[in-house]
Amino acid sequence: MAPVANETTAHADGRVGRRIENYTAFWQKDISKEDTQDTENRLSNYVDVINGYYDGATGLYEYGWGTSFHFSRYYPGEGFYQALARHEHYLAFKMNLKPGMRVLDVGCGIGGPAREIAQFADVQIVGLNNNEFQVGRARKLTKKAGLENQISYTVGDFMKLAEKFGENSFDAVYAIEATVHAPSWEGVYGEIQKVLKPGGVFGVYEWCMTDRWDPSIPEHKEVAHGIEIGNGIPEMRPLAKARQAILNVGFEIEHEEDLAERPDPIPWYYPLEGDISKAQTLWDVFTVWRMSNSGKFVTHHGLWLIEKLGIVPKGTWEVGETLKIAADALVKSGREKLFTPMYLVIARKPAPN
């Protein structure tokens, strides 16, 4: 069994060094050695898996991606950050969020989407995250934006939402590329259903393998493994399973679509390809460059150096190395349409007759 976090190594900002160091121990680097026991171990220790990953990866995410840790569609000539914001607006629009609603953001990261949606829809948002370091960053950035009276954050487990907030507590709940980290979709969707008021709406952008993915094909299995280890995901699962889980817990689906299936001339994974010629704006050149060979070289050696100097916790460099595995797996699976980061579902909790 992989080791779990040693809380005595916690940093003042909430990161736990031992947890970061132990992160990669949850996977067999050689996929041929992976078995069901490894998967079960990650699922049962999902809190340590997630926290070990985000303790090490959050700073790298901010450096390479900004404050909204998700993918999006792109229009020709559209800036990277504008596309991310539009993706968040689209979710809020499809959920029909209204001013004054109390909304829960499940797996809120460092609050980028919450700040955007709060201003776009004029709603009150509670951000939930089980990573103390990310919650601290979210509070700091939200205060800087002057939105602390509209958005609050709390540390908590998304598998225990009813225990945390009580049933029928929110008008709406959304999750953006977060619930894939759950040990089971029925578990996390069921908790979301409980905390929603009757008639409340749930919107999600889910990470999942598409119907084209066949785990019996070694290359397909390997690409899913790369997504898992490079993104802190205990187990990648198929889209059909996500849809069924939403129905199984009692939601009524009002709209569903895999946005990655739209015939966009610019693919959702283009920033990961590292091809500067594909940057949509001059400002985006730097974002794309970070994933080029020279950009990876600078990050690789720079991160190694600052870890040696004690500027970041031990283990951060190794987590950073898994991000390269993730990028390659995401681009490959995106090109072959084996994976989607944007299976969109708008579902409603039935209201009593």
Side-chain angles (χ1 to χ4, degrees):
M1 179 176 288
V4 294
N6 178 354
E7 297 300 325
T8 63
T9 60
H11 294 250
D13 59 15
R15 288 181 290 185
V16 179
R18 183 65 62 188
R19 197 160 59 188
I20 302 172
E21 292 179 64
N22 290 340
Y23 169 70
T24 56
F26 281 102
W27 282 268
Q28 300 289 342
K29 292 185 178 180
D30 182 351
I31 190 173
S32 66
K33 297 179 180 178
E34 274 271 323
D35 57 29
T36 55
Q37 186 176 358
D38 292 304
T39 302
E40 289 170 1
N41 182 47
R42 291 193 295 269
L43 292 171
S44 62
N45 290 286
Y46 70 94
V47 172
D48 289 316
V49 172
I50 296 169
N51 278 298
Y53 177 73
Y54 282 114
D55 279 357
T58 296
L60 296 170
Y61 272 33
E62 286 194 69
Y63 164 72
W65 215 258
T67 60
S68 290
F69 302 162
H70 61 78
F71 291 102
S72 69
R73 296 174 59 226
Y74 300 95
Y75 287 110
E78 182 180 33
F80 175 75
Y81 294 116
Q82 286 71 33
L84 294 181
R86 178 176 52 76
H87 197 63
E88 294 156 6
H89 295 171
Y90 187 68
L91 179 63
F93 166 74
K94 296 298 288 186
M95 292 175 67
N96 196 26
L97 298 184
K98 300 292 186 182
M101 278 186 169
R102 186 171 189 247
V103 180
L104 177 65
D105 180 334
V106 174
C108 63
I110 60 172
R115 288 185 290 276
E116 193 67 41
I117 290 173
Q119 294 176 91
F120 176 77
D122 196 19
V123 292
Q124 296 288 322
I125 295 181
V126 176
L128 177 99
N129 193 324
N130 72 358
N131 186 270
E132 292 184 16
F133 176 58
Q134 287 199 337
V135 168
R137 290 290 297 143
R139 287 171 177 158
K140 182 177 180 180
L141 292 169
T142 298
K143 185 175 182 179
K144 184 177 180 180
L147 294 169
E148 64 268 32
N149 291 327
Q150 196 172 351
I151 310 170
S152 63
Y153 301 95
T154 185
V155 176
D157 186 344
F158 56 20
M159 301 299 287
K160 301 175 182 177
L161 295 178
E163 179 182 319
K164 177 79 174 181
F165 299 108
E167 297 189 13
N168 307 321
S169 299
F170 293 94
D171 301 299
V173 179
Y174 68 83
I176 299 178
E177 302 184 18
T179 44
V180 66
H181 292 290
S184 76
W185 275 326
E186 276 88 354
V188 68
Y189 294 159
E191 287 296 303
I192 289 169
Q193 207 261 11
K194 289 176 185 176
V195 299
L196 270 174
K197 296 177 182 177
V201 63
F202 171 47
V204 61
Y205 285 129
E206 191 60 83
W207 274 38
C208 37
M209 309 309 290
T210 69
D211 293 337
R212 298 179 182 85
W213 180 70
D214 183 350
S216 68
I217 299 174
E219 283 190 0
H220 289 200
K221 185 70 174 178
E222 185 174 357
V223 79
H225 181 72
I227 294 171
E228 290 170 356
I229 191 172
N231 292 281
I233 300 167
E235 176 188 42
M236 284 303 302
R237 298 175 283 251
L239 185 153
K241 201 168 185 178
R243 183 181 194 277
Q244 192 58 53
I246 290 172
L247 295 172
N248 285 349
V249 302
F251 278 115
E252 296 174 349
I253 295 178
E254 296 184 341
H255 176 82
E256 63 173 316
E257 178 184 7
D258 178 6
L259 296 182
E261 285 289 340
R262 293 203 184 181
D264 295 326
I266 303 165
W268 60 264
Y269 52 82
Y270 103 85
L272 297 179
E273 293 180 298
D275 186 346
I276 296 173
S277 68
K278 293 183 179 180
Q280 295 301 297
T281 69
L282 183 61
W283 180 258
D284 294 342
V285 168
F286 187 50
T287 298
V288 177
W289 168 81
R290 292 167 194 164
M291 295 307 300
S292 68
N293 289 333
S294 60
K296 289 178 181 177
F297 179 87
V298 170
T299 302
H300 173 89
H301 292 282
L303 189 59
W304 178 87
L305 177 61
I306 63 174
E307 181 177 310
K308 291 297 182 182
L309 294 174
I311 297 172
V312 297
K314 188 177 180 181
T316 302
W317 177 85
E318 190 171 8
V319 172
E321 291 298 286
T322 70
L323 293 179
K324 298 178 185 178
I325 298 172
D328 291 342
L330 290 168
V331 170
K332 178 178 174 62
S333 61
R335 287 173 177 166
E336 298 179 10
K337 293 190 176 295
L338 300 175
F339 161 80
T340 177
M342 52 187 79
Y343 172 47
L344 168 65
V345 178
I346 306 300
R348 195 167 298 278
K349 179 177 181 175
N353 295 327

